[in-house]
Every structure is written in structure tokens, then in C-alpha cells.
């Protein structure tokens, strides 16, 4: 049985998305995994209600709109269940500033270093 109904993965890197999606699906993490290669596209999907995630995995470094810019736009959204959505910053960044900024953001549940593993998913779900 899946831990979450819908997981939204926001990352501009096709290979990272492919690998992360396989791990999420293989680990039965969510009933549905939706991939968005653009933070702006993800904001539009959330705003329109076409995507209603329980959990979001968000990359920091993306062109046009990065993870922190996504969070600024996310803050402006008025969507049902917003407070219950868990957002995990999923990044290869080792920059202590990114990690600190993530830990200080009210929407970020946890900063996770790529690649995601089954152990990380198990820890999230317990």
C-alpha cells in the first residue's frame, strides 16, 4: 500500500527525473507520481487544481524559476490542503547556504541530497 496518494516531482533534469521516478514507483511511495520539468509549470498545475499532491520533491537549481523562486510563488497560492503538503528539497547542492535557507523555509520539511534512495523514502514514511 502506498504511503501517499500523489507525489509531484519538480526537476528540470530528465535523467534525475527518470531515476527518482523509478525509485518512487518501485518503493510504492505514492499511488501516482507526476513529473514536472519546470517550476513555473508546477505552479500553474497547482493553481489550476489539476495536480493535488500530498508530497512534493523540489530541485533547487532550475532555469527560469529555481526551487526557492518556486517557494515564493507557492506562498502566494490559495489551494486546499496547502498546510498538509510536505515539500522535500531534493538537490545535489552541497552549498551550506542552500541547506540553511531550506531549513529556514516554513514549507520545507527536509533537505535531501540526490540521489534519493529507498532508505531515505523509508525514513520519510516513518
Amino acid at each position: 500500500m502506498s504511503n501517499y496518494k500523489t507525489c509531484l516531482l519538480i526537476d528540470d533534469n530528465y535523467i534525475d527525473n527518470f531515476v527518482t521516478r523509478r525509485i518512487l514507483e518501485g518503493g510504492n511511495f505514492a499511488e501516482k507520481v507526476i513529473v514536472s520539468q519546470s517550476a513555473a509549470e508546477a505552479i500553474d498545475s497547482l493553481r489550476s487544481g489539476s495536480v493535488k499532491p500530498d508530497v512534493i520533491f523540489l530541485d533547487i537549481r532550475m532555469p527560469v524559476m529555481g526551487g526557492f523562486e518556486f517557494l515564493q510563488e507557492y506562498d502566494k497560492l490559495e489551494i486546499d490542503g496547502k498546510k498538509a503538503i510536505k515539500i522535500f528539497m531534493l538537490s545535489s547542492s552541497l552549498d551550506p547556504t542552500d541547506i540553511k535557507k531550506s531549513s529556514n523555509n516554513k514549507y520545507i520539511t527536509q533537505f535531501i541530497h540526490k540521489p534519493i534512495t529507498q532508505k531515505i523514502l523509508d525514513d520519510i514514511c516513518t
Side-chain angles (χ1 to χ4, degrees):
M1 186 169 164
S2 300
N3 294 294
Y4 295 99
K5 184 173 170 129
T6 305
C7 174
L8 176 59
L9 172 59
I10 307 169
D11 194 327
D12 64 307
N13 186 301
Y14 175 81
I15 300 295
D16 286 347
N17 284 336
F18 179 79
V19 171
T20 303
R21 182 181 198 148
R22 296 286 296 214
I23 291 167
L24 291 169
E25 290 174 343
N28 206 25
F29 183 76
E31 291 176 26
K32 185 187 328 180
V33 177
I34 298 168
V35 177
S36 179
Q37 287 191 262
S38 151
E41 175 187 292
I43 287 291
D44 289 344
S45 297
L46 292 166
R47 185 178 292 123
S48 71
S50 63
V51 174
K52 296 179 181 182
D54 306 297
V55 64
I56 296 172
F57 287 100
L58 175 64
D59 188 25
I60 291 178
R61 307 234 191 285
M62 294 179 283
V64 183
M65 181 187 287
F68 292 114
E69 291 81 15
F70 168 88
L71 292 167
Q72 290 172 344
E73 292 303 309
Y74 181 81
D75 188 51
K76 299 173 191 173
L77 292 178
E78 293 182 22
I79 55 175
D80 290 337
K82 182 176 172 180
K83 289 184 179 183
I85 298 171
K86 292 184 179 182
I87 301 178
F88 296 94
M89 192 64 87
L90 182 61
S91 180
S92 55
S93 173
L94 298 174
D95 184 343
T97 306
D98 287 339
I99 296 168
K100 184 175 181 179
K101 198 171 177 182
S102 294
S103 66
N104 291 336
N105 187 287
K106 67 181 179 180
Y107 295 112
I108 301 294
T109 302
Q110 183 180 345
F111 185 97
I112 299 171
H113 289 285
K114 288 180 183 177
I116 200 159
T117 64
Q118 187 59 50
K119 169 137 181 30
I120 291 169
L121 294 180
D122 291 344
D123 290 346
I124 288 171
C125 294
T126 54

